[in-house]
Amino acid sequence: MKQILALLLCLNFIFAAEVSDEFENEFNAQQTFDPLSGYNRVMTGFNDTLYTYIFNPVARGYRYVMPEPGRTAIGNFFDNLMYPIRLVNNLLQFKFKNAGEETLRFVANTIVGFGGISDVATKYYNLPRHDEDFGQTLGAWGIGAGPHIVWPIFGPSNLRDTFGMVGDFFTNPVSYVEPSEASFGAKTINQLNQTDPDFYENLKKEAVDLYPFLRDAYEQRRYHLIKE
């Protein structure tokens, strides 16, 4: 009996050691590749100053003068315009069912939803939106994230998603609005309409060290979006 107990204890110890090694290997494998950490920290501080003292106050002013129904209508309108980005990337990832639902959403919201102002596809037809972008497509094709990069104003990204932004630009119908100032203005309004200043402020409260906190949050979110 003592020999059996000793054997069980030994096996338990070996199993625990293997699990610990596997966990450690998985943890190390998921560490973010960050050779630009010095630059990224400086740029995170720069962006934080912009967000705190310029962008967030402007966003609060916008929310003060624009009632929630108006913000919802504007958001729905731009979401409907982004249909080509979602369609192309769902097709490139062979998500044909999602691409079909995106097309049905676009038709329903454009015709019944008054040009996309009302999201009737979700409300009445139970057609969910399938958000995909070129960064996710590249990830789905097996291309690694590459080094983490913090861009001025745009914030956290990585090398793969930076290349993906180029594809998103050329499939975004707003990019072709003339003159270019009108295109820039439309994109600015869309971004301003999406900005929730309270979200960023609450996010900062959770961070002991802002840069690695934002970096890891971004990379983990993108990882899970690609795996969906």
Side-chain angles (χ1 to χ4, degrees):
M1 185 66 179
K2 291 182 179 180
Q3 291 177 340
I4 294 175
L5 288 174
L7 178 61
L8 290 174
L9 288 172
C10 182
L11 290 173
N12 184 62
F13 176 79
I14 294 173
F15 175 75
E18 290 179 349
V19 170
S20 177
D21 290 341
E22 290 177 2
F23 177 79
E24 184 176 354
N25 290 336
E26 181 179 358
F27 179 79
N28 290 333
Q30 293 180 351
Q31 294 301 296
T32 302
F33 181 46
D34 195 8
L36 303 175
S37 60
Y39 157 81
N40 288 336
R41 280 187 176 275
V42 172
M43 190 53 62
T44 297
F46 172 77
N47 285 340
D48 179 56
T49 300
L50 285 180
Y51 300 159
T52 302
Y53 297 104
I54 299 178
F55 296 156
N56 280 1
V58 171
R60 292 186 192 281
Y62 173 79
R63 285 176 168 256
Y64 180 79
V65 299
M66 178 62 69
E68 184 175 352
R71 297 198 304 271
T72 300
I74 292 172
N76 289 339
F77 175 77
F78 278 104
D79 283 341
N80 198 51
L81 277 182
M82 298 304 112
Y83 159 71
I85 297 178
R86 297 193 297 272
L87 175 66
V88 169
N89 285 288
N90 274 291
L91 290 174
L92 290 175
Q93 295 179 48
F94 309 110
K95 297 179 178 180
F96 300 117
K97 179 178 181 293
N98 292 357
E101 290 184 346
E102 279 294 331
T103 300
L104 292 175
R105 279 181 54 84
F106 178 73
V107 172
N109 286 339
T110 300
I111 298 175
V112 185
F114 305 102
I117 292 176
S118 177
D119 185 7
V120 297
T122 300
K123 189 173 182 181
Y124 296 109
Y125 299 109
N126 297 318
L127 292 169
R129 193 176 71 202
H130 303 284
D131 288 321
E132 299 288 346
D133 56 43
F134 272 95
Q136 289 170 252
T137 296
L138 294 174
W141 288 352
I143 298 176
H148 187 78
I149 305 171
V150 179
W151 292 109
I153 301 176
F154 295 103
S157 185
N158 54 46
L159 185 60
R160 178 192 60 217
D161 289 348
T162 298
F163 280 106
M165 290 168 61
V166 178
D168 293 336
F169 176 85
F170 285 107
T171 50
N172 185 346
V174 181
S175 300
Y176 300 95
V177 172
E178 294 292 344
S180 58
E181 291 81 1
S183 174
F184 176 79
K187 290 182 178 180
T188 300
I189 291 173
N190 182 32
Q191 188 59 49
L192 180 63
N193 193 70
Q194 296 181 53
T195 300
D196 181 358
D198 293 330
F199 175 80
Y200 181 71
E201 293 301 325
N202 291 332
L203 194 66
K204 284 175 59 177
K205 293 177 183 178
E206 302 294 328
V208 176
D209 188 349
L210 184 61
Y211 166 61
F213 179 80
L214 294 178
R215 177 198 64 196
D216 294 345
Y218 175 85
E219 296 293 346
Q220 290 172 20
R221 178 177 178 274
R222 295 297 290 175
Y223 175 83
H224 288 296
L225 287 175
I226 291 168
K227 292 299 180 181
E228 286 182 350

